[in-house]
Amino acid sequence: MIYIYDVLLNWFKKGKIMESFEWNTNDEIDHVKKIPLIRVDDQDLYHFLHYDIKLDLDFLTKLYKKTEVYDCKCIRKIDYAMIISNGKCSVALKFNNKGYVIGKSKLLLDEEEEVLEMTEELTITRLEYEKKNLLTSDYFMTRHEYENKNFLIKELKYMVKTNDLEKIDYLYEEYFDKENITTQEKYQILLDSVTNHYSKIHEEMVNILKLTASK
């Protein structure tokens, strides 16, 4: 098995994945001593990036304890992990003992280049796996957008909980056509809009809420 040595990985759960330039200093980043590198074709890489995946158990066993991480003064082993690459891009994957992906990480740009160079020398491995759910559109948002979206959803729900109806009316009437509807209906339209069609308008809402909170 071919390995990549001495890379930093930042595991994200629930399908979400961040480019290295979006990592935060308080993220829990693993300094990986070594991890298996597998070359896959374009379709397999696409599936692992865009779907919830369950890897075949026969291949999963080949990964057992093959990944090592520097942990203070000792070496910690990750049960099941690997980096897959098609020679154009790559992603690190962590699995549970049933084969489900439980973490994904991109690589630092210079380390990505090293992986791509090594991938050119490898033959394609045909992976057996099951595609589960297609990942949501949140997957393609930047970290800033993703965090602001969650902030806005929480704020809207808090407005209802605290009966802050004037703020709901204000946000709705500022960005949507004024209609003769109830505040509850305005809240539902706002919530559906943020959840399903996040856009520049919602970024402006976030700025307004953060500005008023700071006063």
Side-chain angles (χ1 to χ4, degrees):
M1 189 167 284
I2 302 299
Y3 295 91
I4 286 291
Y5 295 88
D6 200 25
V7 295
L8 298 180
L9 298 178
N10 189 5
W11 302 107
F12 289 92
K13 302 176 182 179
K14 298 182 179 178
K16 186 62 183 168
I17 190 170
M18 302 289 180
E19 298 291 343
S20 59
F21 58 81
E22 296 184 284
W23 295 1
N24 289 337
T25 54
N26 59 348
D27 288 342
E28 294 184 8
I29 297 174
D30 276 340
H31 183 182
V32 177
K33 180 182 178 183
K34 71 172 187 176
I35 182 171
L37 171 62
I38 307 296
R39 181 170 185 171
V40 297
D41 62 20
D42 294 347
Q43 177 177 267
D44 284 350
L45 184 70
Y46 180 87
H47 289 163
F48 274 93
L49 282 172
H50 293 82
Y51 288 83
D52 286 328
I53 293 293
K54 182 178 183 295
L55 185 64
D56 176 70
L57 294 182
D58 287 339
F59 188 84
L60 185 72
T61 58
K62 298 178 182 178
L63 302 176
Y64 187 62
K65 301 290 187 181
K66 292 294 196 326
T67 298
E68 299 180 354
V69 177
Y70 293 107
D71 194 352
C72 296
K73 296 182 180 181
C74 63
I75 300 297
R76 168 172 56 87
K77 293 189 177 183
I78 295 177
D79 286 348
Y80 306 100
M82 65 178 174
I83 293 175
I84 61 171
S85 174
N86 63 349
K88 291 170 277 191
C89 64
S90 56
V91 61
L93 304 167
K94 183 161 58 172
F95 304 85
N96 64 16
N97 61 6
K98 295 183 179 179
Y100 289 97
V101 175
I102 57 172
K104 297 180 183 181
S105 175
K106 297 295 285 184
L107 288 81
L108 298 179
L109 294 180
D110 58 335
E111 294 172 357
E112 170 92 353
E113 290 179 5
E114 179 187 354
V115 167
L116 298 183
E117 289 176 3
M118 289 190 64
T119 302
E120 292 180 358
E121 306 299 322
L122 304 179
T123 57
I124 292 175
T125 297
R126 300 294 178 182
L127 297 177
E128 296 293 329
Y129 55 88
E130 295 178 38
K131 282 192 305 178
K132 300 296 183 179
N133 299 322
L134 180 67
L135 300 176
T136 67
S137 59
D138 285 0
Y139 180 89
F140 303 100
M141 300 175 75
T142 66
R143 186 170 196 156
H144 173 79
E145 292 170 337
Y146 183 73
E147 291 175 350
N148 277 351
K149 176 180 178 178
N150 288 332
F151 167 82
L152 191 50
I153 290 173
K154 289 179 181 178
E155 286 294 305
L156 287 170
K157 291 181 178 180
Y158 185 73
M159 291 175 203
V160 170
K161 182 178 179 180
T162 58
N163 206 33
D164 194 350
L165 305 184
E166 290 185 3
K167 192 175 288 186
I168 293 174
D169 289 336
Y170 171 76
L171 286 177
Y172 179 86
E173 293 168 9
E174 186 73 13
Y175 294 100
F176 294 90
D177 293 335
K178 295 181 180 179
E179 301 179 41
N180 186 24
I181 58 178
T182 66
T183 301
Q184 179 61 36
E185 289 172 320
K186 293 176 182 177
Y187 161 76
Q188 195 59 54
I189 291 173
L190 283 167
L191 185 62
D192 289 344
S193 174
V194 175
T195 303
N196 301 313
H197 306 287
Y198 193 84
S199 67
K200 185 178 179 181
I201 289 176
H202 304 106
E203 289 283 304
E204 293 173 2
M205 290 184 190
V206 170
N207 293 334
I208 288 176
L209 291 174
K210 290 183 176 180
L211 182 63
T212 56
S214 65
K215 292 183 178 179

